[in-house]
Amino acid sequence: MEPLLEGCKILVVEDEYVLAMELHSSLESAGATVIGPVGSIDDALSVLEHANELDAAVLDVNLRGQKVFAVADALEERGVPFIFTTGYGRSAFPERYANVPRCEKPFEAQALAHALQDHLKHRSH
Amino acid sequence: MDTSPIVGDDSPSGDATLGREGFDWSQTPLGAVEHWSDELRSVVARSIAARGSVSAHPSRLRDSETRLQMALDAAAMGTFVWHVPEARAELDSRMLALLGLRASDPLSMSPAISALIHPDDRQRFSAALRDACDPRGDGLLRQDIRVVLADGTLRWLGVNAKVQFEGSPREATRMSGAAVDISERKNLEAALRENTLRVQTIISQAATGVVEADASGRMTLVNRRWCEMLGYDEGELLGMNIAAVTHPESVDPTLEAVRRLAKGGPDFEIEKKYCRKDGSILIATSSVSAIRGPSGEYRGLIAIVVDITSRKHAEEALRQSEERFRQFGDASSDVLWLRDVSTYRWIYLSKAFESIYGVPCEELIADEDAHRWLNIVLAEDRDAVSTALERVRQGAKVTFEFRIRRPNDGEVRWIHETAFPVIDPRGAIRRIGGIGQDVSEEKHTSGRLQVLVEELQHRTRNIVAVVRSLSNKTLEESTTLEDFQQRFNERLGAVSRTQGLLSRLEEGQRITFDELLDTELSAHRTANVKSQLKLQGPPGVRLRSSELQTLALAIHELVTNALKYGALSTPAGALSIRWHLLTDRSGVRRLYVDWRESGVQIDDARKQAGGYGRELIERALPYQMQAETTYELGNDGVHCTIAVPISTTMRRAFAAD
């Protein structure tokens, strides 16, 4: 895979192990350093507290029946860009996240990497 | 003064003489009263009486000569004597006046009379004259005849005369008589006849039934319409009692009303049923008036009868139609309503209104301010409701939705309303109507359904992602396509078995560990190695549905490896699976599973060292299930322990993964 995300520190929040592993390996192969992955909101918030330089995050929307929006809000507060991975349609999202990119499951690792890179570029301009 | 025998007493009493009245009859052709025969007295008396009105006031004649004179003048009675043999007549001045003759006119009777008498009466009068002069008869003449005067005036005269017979054989010698003008009476009679005829015509032609009955109720007069209404002939009805054509239901009320009438009660109107000749029923209103005699006694009745059968049927049909509509309205769980188009006032509201809106229908219908109900509508929906109703007033059928807040319990309900103009036969809109449905439940359900659909989509996409990941993983491990195919199909089987187990669950149910284990062992056809298997643990340990997939995959991998390289691959091997429940120090209940293989050649066992099963146990279960796991490769086989938190909730609706 192209090193699209060379040197980026990316937090992965995904409760399904096999998906978390897959995300992990595909992000690393795109050159990123993966923080996590973590499978719960509490773990994600705890990682956020301790992580210094976070470039981006990939958030699974549904974590063991809980919505990930608390984590999204914390990221927003810190100015960390993020994208959602989800099996839900658009209507499940609150209005305030209308502009957040979504990767609908199942997705190609390449597509996710591109989406992340686009989002990062867009944010830095 | 004596009483007048002439007028007061019709009987020719011998003592009573007309002369006593002082009227000088000797100056008349009849001569002095004392020479009058009894018959002549009564003839004259009758002539006076024939004038009619005079007899009603006999007192006028009693006192004096003057009065009698006046009476005779008023009666305009002329007297005459006819000397039969010489055919000579003597007429007094009043008689001459009656005939319109002058004294100088010739007094020859026959030609004068023939010329004067109306041609239609001539023959009759001549015959009567002949009869009177017949000696075998009583000699009396009584005729009402018309005379035509010289000036063309027609006058009715009542003539009374008496013929005297003399000699042998007896012969008529003299006829004495009197005549009075009875034109007035005749005219009255004619007018009366004409009037009666007119009334009869009106009655017979009337569009309403007319029936007259005597005091006993027998019909004495029936008109054509009445006969048609009942289907009888006039002949059949006459003499029949009204009760006989009255419907049994109406007999008592009718008799009761007629009884009151007979006792002097007022005329009345009654709505009643009659029976037609063909057995069908006639519904009618009868206006009944009493016929009473001079002293007020009841003699019978006249009824004017109007057929209202078709009106009654129409009313009944309308009533039934309204009743049906009302029953539909009452039975409907929707609100049916009608409002006046200009005032918006409620005309009809079905029962469902009270339960949906929480306001009694009567309260709303009685409210003069028909716009006040809008207060029940949520403020943000009021404009839309007003606009929609305005469009209905303009003639459109409009479907719209709005929310109300019930005044009684404050609950918000969704109403789905279909409103339409009610157009009268002339095409005008006088009312608007509508059907309002409480769709709160549907709104709620559709919201729930939306959640369910999203959940389903989420789960499906997750499974696809898991399958993708499995296929990648399997691809990494596989050396050949056949190898891939076998492993992948086996893993896909484990995934679909888990889905199968989950899909059979009712809400709130959980898969138990023994179920899961049994499913996986059966799927791997372990029946022929049953003797090498030792299972020990309590049934019914409930697992979290969200974590079932990973646990199932882990067990799948363990069983597969045991069959391929481990305890179940050699007759010397043994597999012991024991499980029990533990509560750890923090109070979390866990399922503790001990998987121990023995009797395995360690070289073979080594082959599974880096397998996917081990990864699932060592990494996936802790990651996903907060499980505590161990995985060891001992001298004679695999020993693995898994401690997973178990389901403690009885119900987790839509438990999401």
Side-chain angles (χ1 to χ4, degrees):
Chain A
M1 194 180 277
E2 297 172 62
L4 291 167
L5 302 167
E6 192 64 55
C8 290
K9 287 185 174 175
I10 297 174
L11 168 66
V12 172
V13 183
E14 165 64 62
D15 63 343
E16 190 72 44
Y17 173 79
V18 292
L19 303 182
M21 290 308 115
E22 203 180 18
L23 268 175
H24 185 270
S25 61
S26 54
L27 287 173
E28 284 199 330
S29 65
T33 304
V34 172
I35 312 293
V38 291
S40 71
I41 287 171
D42 288 347
D43 289 350
L45 291 175
S46 150
V47 167
L48 269 182
E49 260 177 52
H50 299 102
N52 301 326
E53 301 158 23
L54 208 55
D55 295 306
V58 178
L59 307 180
D60 175 24
V61 173
N62 191 322
L63 297 173
R64 293 179 188 135
Q66 282 188 298
K67 290 288 199 299
V68 79
F69 301 129
V71 180
D73 292 342
L75 289 165
E76 190 83 12
E77 213 170 279
R78 285 153 198 254
V80 178
F82 56 92
I83 66 172
F84 290 123
T85 64
T86 178
Y88 290 112
R90 178 182 297 270
S91 61
F93 286 83
E95 189 64 30
R96 64 183 189 276
Y97 301 121
N99 295 320
V100 177
R102 286 189 306 276
C103 280
E104 295 195 358
K105 293 177 181 177
F107 48 79
E108 288 288 337
Q110 190 81 13
L112 178 83
H114 273 289
L116 257 178
Q117 193 203 24
D118 286 352
H119 193 40
L120 287 169
K121 272 192 202 160
H122 184 72
R123 294 272 303 204
S124 59
H125 288 162
Chain B
M1 269 297 192
D2 277 347
T3 57
S4 162
I6 302 175
V7 290
D9 185 0
D10 205 41
S11 67
S13 140
D15 294 341
T17 61
L18 292 162
R20 287 218 186 137
E21 298 302 322
F23 179 70
D24 190 3
W25 286 99
S26 61
Q27 297 305 307
T28 75
L30 301 180
V33 175
E34 39 282 27
H35 305 300
W36 289 7
S37 66
D38 287 349
E39 285 92 342
L40 186 56
R41 284 167 202 259
S42 53
V43 162
V44 172
R46 229 179 354 254
S47 290
I48 293 171
R51 192 60 184 81
S53 61
V54 181
S55 68
H57 304 285
S59 61
R60 280 191 186 171
L61 303 175
R62 279 187 198 137
D63 353 308
S64 68
E65 185 181 320
T66 320
R67 291 202 173 191
L68 183 57
Q69 180 64 56
M70 282 169 66
L72 290 168
D73 283 344
M77 185 171 79
T79 58
F80 64 89
V81 172
W82 181 35
H83 302 279
V84 183
E86 327 78 289
R88 179 175 58 86
E90 284 175 53
L91 310 181
D92 70 3
S93 59
R94 281 186 297 273
M95 192 67 213
L96 287 168
L98 281 175
L99 295 172
L101 299 173
R102 289 186 297 272
S104 56
D105 285 343
L107 290 181
S108 174
M109 186 69 172
S110 333
I113 296 215
S114 324
L116 283 164
I117 294 177
H118 190 281
D120 290 355
D121 294 348
R122 242 172 246 164
Q123 209 176 347
R124 173 166 59 85
F125 188 69
S126 298
L129 211 53
R130 252 195 325 275
D131 288 349
C133 293
D134 187 334
R136 291 162 300 183
D138 59 5
L140 288 173
L141 173 84
R142 280 186 196 176
Q143 285 287 310
D144 290 348
I145 54 166
R146 283 166 289 181
V147 292
V148 183
L149 307 191
D151 63 3
T153 311
L154 185 81
R155 175 173 288 163
W156 273 99
L157 294 181
V159 182
N160 284 281
K162 170 68 185 163
V163 178
Q164 288 177 345
F165 299 98
E166 284 171 11
S168 182
R170 288 161 61 82
E171 266 182 17
T173 54
R174 183 180 142 94
M175 174 186 272
S176 312
V180 287
D181 184 349
I182 57 168
S183 299
E184 198 180 331
R185 199 190 80 202
K186 283 288 180 185
N187 288 343
L188 277 172
E189 281 171 4
L192 190 64
R193 259 199 313 279
E194 195 183 321
N195 217 24
T196 304
L197 195 66
R198 198 180 296 135
V199 170
Q200 277 169 353
T201 306
I202 289 170
I203 287 174
S204 75
Q205 300 296 318
T208 57
V210 179
V211 54
E212 191 186 84
D214 64 17
S216 69
R218 271 197 306 274
M219 288 178 261
T220 50
L221 180 149
V222 293
N223 76 340
R224 196 166 45 85
R225 178 74 189 114
W226 174 241
C227 295
E228 286 167 4
M229 281 159 74
L230 289 173
Y232 286 99
D233 292 339
E234 182 179 358
E236 291 174 306
L237 284 177
L238 288 175
M240 199 189 276
N241 199 296
I242 287 182
V245 293
T246 298
H247 188 275
E249 255 178 48
S250 299
V251 167
D252 284 347
T254 305
L255 287 180
E256 178 56 32
V258 170
R259 220 169 283 136
R260 278 198 300 274
L261 187 72
K263 282 181 189 162
D267 295 350
F268 64 91
E269 189 173 292
I270 187 171
E271 188 180 305
K272 58 182 279 192
K273 290 180 182 174
Y274 294 93
C275 289
R276 293 199 184 92
K277 191 179 181 182
D278 65 7
S280 59
I281 290 173
L282 167 76
I283 308 173
T285 51
S286 293
S287 304
V288 182
S289 309
I291 303 170
R292 300 190 195 279
S295 52
E297 78 277 13
Y298 177 71
R299 284 190 176 168
L301 58 82
I302 285 188
I304 311 290
V305 188
V306 179
D307 183 351
I308 57 166
T309 309
S310 53
R311 198 187 84 200
K312 277 282 154 185
H313 286 164
E315 281 174 6
E316 178 60 17
L318 184 65
R319 198 192 60 73
Q320 284 182 1
S321 161
E322 285 186 343
E323 174 63 16
R324 271 197 299 275
F325 174 73
R326 195 185 59 75
Q327 287 186 4
F328 268 113
D330 286 353
S332 171
S333 56
D334 296 344
V335 178
L336 312 185
W337 55 266
L338 274 178
R339 302 177 77 168
D340 185 283
V341 76
S342 48
T343 65
Y344 267 152
R345 283 198 66 163
W346 304 89
I347 296 162
Y348 171 77
L349 265 178
S350 68
K351 267 189 182 166
F353 182 85
E354 303 198 0
S355 54
I356 295 177
Y357 281 73
V359 179
C361 296
E362 299 77 33
E363 196 174 296
L364 222 68
I365 288 173
D367 195 345
E368 286 182 15
D369 181 0
H371 293 274
R372 203 169 0 228
W373 80 280
L374 261 179
N375 294 337
I376 305 172
V377 176
L378 289 196
E380 53 265 47
D381 291 351
R382 276 175 210 158
D383 284 351
V385 169
S386 298
T387 309
L389 289 180
E390 190 53 41
R391 283 184 55 211
V392 177
R393 282 171 81 162
Q394 307 298 328
K397 180 185 165 193
V398 183
T399 298
F400 55 105
E401 288 190 345
F402 59 95
R403 287 160 295 171
I404 56 159
R405 188 182 298 283
R406 280 209 292 241
N408 56 346
D409 58 8
E411 200 176 307
V412 172
R413 310 295 297 179
W414 272 98
I415 309 294
H416 178 91
E417 191 83 56
T418 302
F420 52 90
V422 180
I423 296 166
D424 74 8
R426 275 176 290 172
I429 301 172
R430 301 204 182 284
R431 296 172 173 188
I432 60 174
I435 302 166
Q437 191 185 3
D438 182 344
V439 292
S440 310
E441 293 308 317
E442 284 87 334
K443 288 271 174 192
H444 181 66
T445 306
S446 79
R448 265 173 52 123
L449 211 59
Q450 182 68 28
V451 168
L452 276 177
V453 166
E454 278 174 3
E455 197 55 44
L456 188 65
Q457 206 180 26
H458 163 71
R459 288 190 185 190
T460 309
R461 287 166 181 246
N462 245 12
I463 286 167
V464 172
V466 167
V467 169
R468 263 179 59 105
S469 168
L470 276 180
S471 89
N472 288 340
K473 200 82 195 170
T474 311
L475 208 51
E476 284 169 24
E477 298 169 354
S478 304
T479 48
T480 64
L481 203 54
E482 287 74 28
D483 191 19
F484 170 79
Q485 192 184 16
Q486 196 192 344
R487 286 168 187 261
F488 185 66
N489 282 348
E490 283 171 2
R491 286 171 176 164
L492 211 54
V495 171
S496 60
R497 281 194 293 279
T498 311
Q499 294 304 315
L501 283 174
L502 287 171
S503 71
R504 286 195 290 274
L505 289 184
E506 295 286 324
E507 197 179 307
Q509 288 181 338
R510 292 290 179 267
I511 304 297
T512 59
F513 180 71
D514 47 314
E515 275 180 298
L516 178 64
L517 196 59
D518 188 51
T519 304
E520 282 308 308
L521 290 172
S522 312
H524 287 85
R525 299 198 187 85
T526 53
N528 51 349
V529 291
K530 211 168 183 179
S531 55
Q532 296 170 257
L533 266 173
K534 191 180 177 192
L535 307 183
Q536 193 185 353
V541 178
R542 294 151 57 88
L543 300 171
R544 291 181 183 170
S545 298
S546 58
E547 295 155 352
L548 202 61
Q549 183 74 79
T550 313
L551 187 59
L553 268 175
I555 289 170
H556 164 75
E557 293 297 323
L558 285 171
V559 176
T560 305
N561 285 346
L563 280 166
K564 276 186 180 167
Y565 321 105
L568 304 181
S569 67
T570 163
L575 170 58
S576 149
I577 308 169
R578 288 178 294 148
W579 68 94
H580 58 276
L581 283 170
L582 278 179
T583 304
D584 69 12
R585 285 178 298 280
S586 50
V588 178
R589 270 156 69 80
R590 287 170 191 270
L591 167 68
Y592 182 85
V593 183
D594 185 278
W595 178 291
R596 188 183 292 274
E597 298 181 27
S598 57
V600 183
Q601 291 295 314
I602 201 67
D603 288 347
D604 290 339
R606 250 191 205 117
K607 290 178 186 166
Q608 51 182 304
Y612 186 42
R614 184 166 188 169
E615 185 191 339
L616 287 174
I617 287 159
E618 289 187 326
R619 297 175 64 185
L621 290 181
Y623 183 84
Q624 200 156 350
M625 304 174 78
Q626 286 81 48
E628 290 168 8
T629 59
T630 63
Y631 189 95
E632 284 170 34
L633 203 55
N635 288 332
D636 60 349
V638 170
H639 179 219
C640 155
T641 61
I642 303 167
V644 288
I646 56 160
S647 173
T648 48
T649 47
M650 288 301 290
R651 268 173 181 276
R652 267 174 72 199
F654 314 120
D657 295 341

